């Protein structure tokens, strides 16, 4: 009986930790889902030829700019914007297709 109780408690704690880690570290991917919807709204406007998605100083938290919508789909160019910060190293740049 004691072994089964310890096993169940350990299993519950392990599942709880796994769920917390997945939820905590998936935030950037959830944010990109919202960004994609907002970019689609801007693309639906006829007066927009460029859309800049600014991630501020948090560029290192986002997986990649490849998650931005394809700019060749409807002629609206989508760019990733960064803000200057105290970081003195090399920042990610734009790659030409």
């Amino acid at each position: 009986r004691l072994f089964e109780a310890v096993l169940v408690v350990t299993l519950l704690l392990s599942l709880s930790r796994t769920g917390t880690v997945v939820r905590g570290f998936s935030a950037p991917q959830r944010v990109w889902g919202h960004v994609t919807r907002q970019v689609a709204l801007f693309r639906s406007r006829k007066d927009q030829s460029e859309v800049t998605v600014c991630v501020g100083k948090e560029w290192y938290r986002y997986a990649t700019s490849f998650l931005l919508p394809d700019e060749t789909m409807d002629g609206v160019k989508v760019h990733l914007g960064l803000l200057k910060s105290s970081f003195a190293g090399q920042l990610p740049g734009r790659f030409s297709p």
Side-chain angles (χ1 to χ4, degrees):
R1 278 285 190 220
L2 180 63
F3 175 74
E4 292 169 351
V6 170
L7 186 64
V8 168
V9 168
T10 303
L11 181 66
L12 289 175
L13 288 174
S14 297
L15 290 175
S16 172
R17 176 166 166 68
T18 301
T20 302
V21 168
V22 167
R23 183 175 178 206
F25 284 99
S26 66
Q29 279 68 33
R30 289 195 311 257
V31 168
W32 278 122
H34 295 291
V35 167
T36 303
R37 286 192 290 278
Q38 290 298 318
V39 167
L41 287 175
F42 280 108
R43 286 181 145 183
S44 66
R45 296 180 179 175
K46 300 299 181 197
D47 60 341
Q48 295 287 331
S49 62
E50 287 190 18
V51 175
T52 300
V53 177
C54 183
V55 294
K57 299 186 293 185
E58 305 292 319
W59 59 269
Y60 58 91
R61 294 188 190 270
Y62 296 95
T64 178
S65 63
F66 295 122
L67 295 176
L68 289 174
D70 187 17
E71 66 182 43
T72 60
M73 188 171 70
D74 56 4
V76 176
K77 295 182 181 179
V78 180
H79 300 289
L80 182 68
L82 307 169
L83 294 178
K84 185 147 178 77
S85 68
S86 60
F87 178 72
Q90 185 175 1
L91 289 171
R94 292 190 182 126
F95 296 97
S96 45

